[in-house]
Amino acid sequence: MHLAYPAVLAALLFATGLYGVLARRNAILVLMSVELMLNAVNLNLVAFDVWLRDTLHAGQALTLFTIAIAAAEIGIGLAIVLMVYRNRGTSDVDRLRDTAERHEPGHPDDPTATTARPEVAA
């Protein structure tokens, strides 16, 4: 098997995923693009493992580890995106740049707000 075929396919997959991360605004599509990039890396790991005829199959073992990490990443990432969507009403990445909640001066939740306490007459 020629190494060039899976390497070119992995490069195309990685480039497609990189384009998706840089160009997309929806957070779910960005997560899908990250998964596409991880799958391109997995393809390279397996292809080089087969090409080098490694007796320990380190590339395939590392691929299984990467798949487990990717599954955890997409689970946590999707949970975060769903919670942000519930709170903000959008999953647009450009609109989510300011994640801190803004409070008006004098608002009870404002840590810099001072509240005047009535003086107790003696």
Side-chain angles (χ1 to χ4, degrees):
M1 178 175 101
H2 295 286
L3 184 61
Y5 297 133
V8 168
L9 179 62
L12 290 174
L13 283 174
F14 193 85
T16 305
L18 186 63
Y19 172 74
V21 167
L22 296 176
R24 297 292 177 184
R25 294 186 180 183
N26 190 347
I28 294 175
L29 292 178
V30 170
L31 287 174
M32 289 174 59
S33 297
V34 169
E35 290 295 320
L36 194 61
M37 291 167 50
L38 286 173
N39 285 331
V41 171
N42 288 339
L43 181 61
N44 266 336
L45 284 171
V46 171
F48 277 98
D49 185 55
V50 169
W51 184 65
L52 293 174
R53 295 188 177 127
D54 186 17
T55 56
L56 295 176
H57 299 293
Q60 293 179 19
L62 191 57
T63 297
L64 289 175
F65 181 72
T66 307
I67 289 171
I69 295 296
E73 175 257 335
I74 198 67
I76 299 279
L78 191 58
I80 290 171
V81 168
L82 287 175
M83 288 304 297
V84 167
Y85 182 77
R86 279 187 191 169
N87 289 335
R88 300 283 175 103
T90 183
S91 63
D92 188 4
V93 177
D94 290 337
R95 292 185 183 178
L96 300 176
R97 293 200 190 265
D98 185 25
T99 57
E101 293 183 26
R102 296 181 182 166
H103 296 291
E104 297 175 8
H107 192 271
D109 292 336
D110 188 14
T112 61
T114 58
T115 57
R117 294 183 192 165
E119 297 288 329
V120 176

